[in-house]
Amino acid sequence: GAVVSQHPSRVICKSGTSVKIECRSLDFQATTMFWYRQFPKQSLMLMATSNEGSKATYEQGVEKDKFLINHASLTLSTLTVTSAHPEDSSFYICSAGTGVLTTDEKLFFGSGTQLSVL
Amino acid sequence: GEDVEQSLFLSVREGDSSVINCTYTDSSSTYLYWYKQEPGAGLQLLTYIFSNMDMKQDQRLTVLLNKKDKHLSLRIADTQTGDSAIYFCAESMVRGSTLGRLYFGRGTQLTVWP
């Protein structure tokens, strides 16, 4: 099956630094990638949708300048948490879709990144 | 609306069947999914059902969809301790640029006792 690789799986950083998370589709072209955030014992909340070659669409309440998303190619999207603060500590998960609705339409998820900001 | 509701906890004995329930509110849902998440890991797609289906079976997993009541369930037969995890119900809708967007429930923590 299709595989989405997310890296790093865990990162600890100091407050004020920036952290980049990568999401790669390994064996298919992902025209659309989604970034979710998950708080402990909570559901996944969509942060933004990125389409290759265009600007990301952010959900209401998500700061565009805080969470920079780049989808430069059909296999790679990155999320950069800029000037991270302890309240940004969370589990971030990406997913990738083919952008074509078929009877097999499904998204493929990365394994997630646990961000801890000290 | 786009609310997806699940009960938070379920405990069963090894070998019994588990039934995890989910309700959703948007009748325009196209696909409904069940994902499994083990501690510290990402989401693993277990199964999904298209909205024009009533039932789907895949080995130990049976998904039932009642569109009238907007109710989805996942039955795991012969539950094993390795099935202990959080199970998320999710729905997707097709509305222009929102293709592929998923709305998740809060997840059901399944605990399997030996």
Side-chain angles (χ1 to χ4, degrees):
Chain A
V3 176
V4 174
S5 173
Q6 187 173 340
H7 178 80
S9 58
R10 186 177 295 272
V11 58
I12 301 172
C13 69
K14 291 183 178 179
S15 185
T17 60
S18 294
V19 174
K20 180 185 283 188
I21 303 169
E22 291 188 350
C23 182
R24 293 180 184 272
S25 57
L26 297 185
D27 55 0
F28 68 101
Q29 293 186 328
T31 54
T32 307
M33 286 191 175
F34 302 85
W35 288 94
Y36 294 84
R37 182 174 180 176
Q38 185 183 26
F39 291 102
K41 300 188 188 302
Q42 297 292 321
S43 184
L44 285 81
M45 300 302 295
L46 181 66
M47 297 174 65
T49 302
S50 71
N51 293 293
E52 184 265 338
S54 63
K55 289 185 179 180
T57 303
Y58 289 81
E59 294 301 301
Q60 192 173 3
V62 177
E63 299 176 58
K64 300 178 184 181
D65 296 331
K66 175 84 174 162
F67 300 100
L68 300 179
I69 291 173
N70 184 285
H71 193 162
S73 76
L74 286 171
T75 59
L76 174 64
S77 176
T78 61
L79 167 68
T80 302
V81 183
T82 62
S83 186
H85 290 284
E87 58 265 30
D88 298 324
S89 298
S90 189
F91 194 61
Y92 295 86
I93 303 177
C94 71
S95 68
T98 60
V100 178
L101 182 64
T102 70
T103 55
D104 289 329
E105 171 65 17
K106 49 185 174 284
L107 298 182
F108 303 99
F109 282 86
S111 55
T113 298
Q114 180 65 55
L115 171 63
S116 300
V117 185
L118 304 178
Chain B
E2 302 144 346
D3 293 334
V4 179
E5 298 288 339
Q6 296 177 244
S7 54
L8 296 182
F9 302 98
L10 176 65
S11 293
V12 299
R13 285 204 176 274
E14 190 173 24
D16 289 349
S17 292
S18 308
V19 179
I20 303 172
N21 294 300
C22 170
T23 58
Y24 59 98
T25 56
D26 200 308
S27 58
S28 63
S29 295
T30 51
Y31 290 92
L32 295 131
Y33 304 80
W34 284 103
Y35 286 89
K36 177 182 180 182
Q37 185 180 34
E38 298 186 50
L43 295 180
Q44 174 194 353
L45 177 65
L46 287 179
T47 186
Y48 63 98
I49 189 168
F50 194 46
S51 57
N52 67 354
M53 298 169 64
D54 298 322
M55 186 184 89
K56 182 178 180 181
Q57 186 155 2
D58 184 2
Q59 298 182 335
R60 292 192 297 126
L61 305 178
T62 302
V63 178
L64 295 178
L65 174 60
N66 182 328
K67 283 198 71 175
K68 175 176 173 290
D69 295 337
K70 299 188 182 67
H71 182 266
L72 182 74
S73 68
L74 173 69
R75 179 177 181 270
I76 305 173
D78 187 25
T79 314
Q80 302 297 308
T81 53
D83 294 324
S84 294
I86 300 176
Y87 290 80
F88 288 94
C89 166
E91 61 173 347
S92 71
M93 290 159 275
V94 180
R95 287 179 188 160
S97 63
T98 64
L99 176 67
R101 175 178 177 167
L102 295 186
Y103 297 88
F104 288 86
R106 288 183 61 185
T108 300
Q109 173 69 61
L110 173 65
T111 302
V112 183
W113 301 98

